Amino acid sequence: CINLKHKNGELYYKQILSYNWTDIELLNSFIHYFGVIKNIETCEIIFNSIKNKDIITYNSMLNAYRLNNEYDKCLELFNDIYNNYSMLLTEHSFHIAICCCADMVSLSQATQILDKMNDYKFKHFNKDISIISAIILMYGKCGDINQAIEIFNNHKSSELFKYHGLLCKIRSV
């Protein structure tokens, strides 16, 4: 739907509503779709209509908030998940939250997220290349270049170089 014109995706969604479908994978896709086309109100309606949310639902909503510059709502939802459903959190959840802090240029908020990630349940996320790259990006955007360089140097691996190069290429397009 995202590659189609906006109206087609909205028509598909209205058809789904008329059939009263509650397939969570389909609804998660619509949260993503409406987030990308900047219709956060519809994202929230869909999100709130889902009774048994899974982590993909939460991550879709986190990302929709981030894409729509609703950073406070993104971090509020992340904290709600952490406080009430922490067993659901994935590397992707933390990645979105860290990128949100980078977008906000908020080192204090990022520090809180990183402290939560250092919790024993999530400590292994520190080895994830996408998390490491997000942390480096966040420190760079927040003006702490020395910390960004230190993390980069401590995680020198061919995977990190490839990922960093890919990010630079995507951002330049």
Side-chain angles (χ1 to χ4, degrees):
C1 288
I2 292 172
N3 292 331
L4 300 174
K5 296 290 181 199
H6 303 280
K7 298 224 184 285
N8 288 339
E10 291 172 8
L11 286 173
Y12 294 140
Y13 176 64
K14 287 178 184 174
Q15 285 179 330
I16 299 300
L17 283 180
S18 71
Y19 292 118
N20 235 2
W21 284 2
T22 57
D23 180 76
I24 194 164
E25 291 173 0
L26 186 59
L27 295 173
N28 290 341
S29 295
F30 276 114
I31 291 172
H32 175 72
Y33 166 75
F34 284 110
V36 168
I37 68 164
K38 309 289 185 198
N39 186 340
I40 196 68
E41 295 81 18
T42 302
C43 292
E44 291 174 328
I45 290 168
I46 298 168
F47 180 78
N48 291 329
S49 75
I50 300 173
K51 291 181 177 83
N52 296 314
K53 298 170 180 70
D54 62 14
I55 192 55
I56 297 169
T57 307
Y58 283 108
N59 285 345
S60 296
M61 195 67 221
L62 286 171
N63 200 47
Y65 280 139
R66 182 176 164 248
L67 290 173
N68 286 274
N69 304 326
E70 297 278 353
Y71 305 126
D72 291 334
K73 287 183 177 182
C74 179
L75 294 179
E76 182 180 326
L77 179 59
F78 177 86
N79 287 322
D80 181 52
I81 301 164
Y82 181 82
N83 292 328
N84 298 305
Y85 313 103
S86 65
M87 68 288 212
L88 292 177
L89 289 170
T90 65
E91 293 94 333
H92 191 60
S93 312
F94 279 96
H95 183 268
I96 295 167
I98 293 166
C99 288
C100 179
C101 295
D103 293 343
M104 295 173 66
V105 190
S106 177
L107 192 54
S108 63
Q109 296 272 18
T111 301
Q112 291 174 22
I113 300 296
L114 294 176
D115 287 346
K116 289 175 179 163
M117 194 173 66
N118 286 325
D119 183 336
Y120 74 96
K121 295 178 286 216
F122 309 112
K123 205 151 187 72
H124 63 283
F125 290 175
N126 285 325
K127 294 179 173 77
D128 183 88
I129 297 298
S130 68
I131 295 281
I132 295 165
S133 294
I135 293 169
I136 292 168
L137 175 69
M138 179 274 303
Y139 277 119
K141 279 186 155 185
C142 291
D144 193 342
I145 301 302
N146 291 332
Q147 185 66 30
I149 291 169
E150 182 179 332
I151 291 170
F152 182 81
N153 287 335
N154 288 337
H155 292 89
K156 281 187 178 175
S157 75
S158 61
E159 289 301 311
L160 184 58
F161 283 112
K162 290 176 195 171
Y163 197 79
H164 178 72
L166 178 62
L167 283 176
C168 291
K169 183 65 178 164
I170 290 170
R171 286 204 160 85
S172 68
V173 173

